[in-house]
Amino acid sequence: MIRQKYKVDIYQFVTTGSVESNCSDITFYNSGENPVLINNAVTLEHGQSLYINANNDELDITNYFFTFQDSVKPNQLIVLKKTYV
């Protein structure tokens, strides 16, 4: 059995910005204390995550934008990207 190789990149963001997917699976995890809005559609509260996965042979090329809803408390968004090599 030949196994498909992949790598996982982990990023941390503390200010509003964006991340290019260019991967098969991507996860957003809000480890900060403020809500974060993903692509003006999904709000993640503290401790919540959003997982988007592709089917076989698919590649997500979305540019995901995120906005922290408040700046009084610490912001932190963790993004994990699974990329086949």
Side-chain angles (χ1 to χ4, degrees):
M1 169 189 257
I2 298 174
R3 295 185 181 189
Q4 179 68 42
K5 294 180 182 180
Y6 67 89
K7 67 177 186 156
V8 176
D9 295 312
I10 302 173
Y11 304 92
Q12 173 184 295
F13 299 95
V14 295
T15 59
T16 293
S18 67
V19 62
E20 291 185 24
S21 183
N22 295 321
C23 63
S24 61
D25 300 348
I26 189 165
T27 302
F28 300 90
Y29 174 69
N30 184 1
S31 59
E33 296 183 33
N34 295 312
V36 61
L37 182 64
I38 310 293
N39 275 15
N40 292 318
V42 177
T43 300
L44 298 179
E45 300 291 335
H46 169 74
Q48 290 184 321
S49 63
L50 171 65
Y51 173 64
I52 301 169
N53 66 316
N55 293 318
N56 292 342
D57 300 323
E58 291 182 333
L59 179 68
D60 181 355
I61 59 168
T62 306
N63 191 12
Y64 291 97
F65 296 91
F66 49 88
T67 306
F68 291 98
Q69 301 297 294
D70 194 357
S71 60
V72 177
K73 299 175 184 176
N75 296 326
Q76 185 169 19
L77 177 66
I78 305 296
V79 178
L80 298 95
K81 294 173 30 172
K82 180 179 180 180
T83 306
Y84 290 98
V85 292

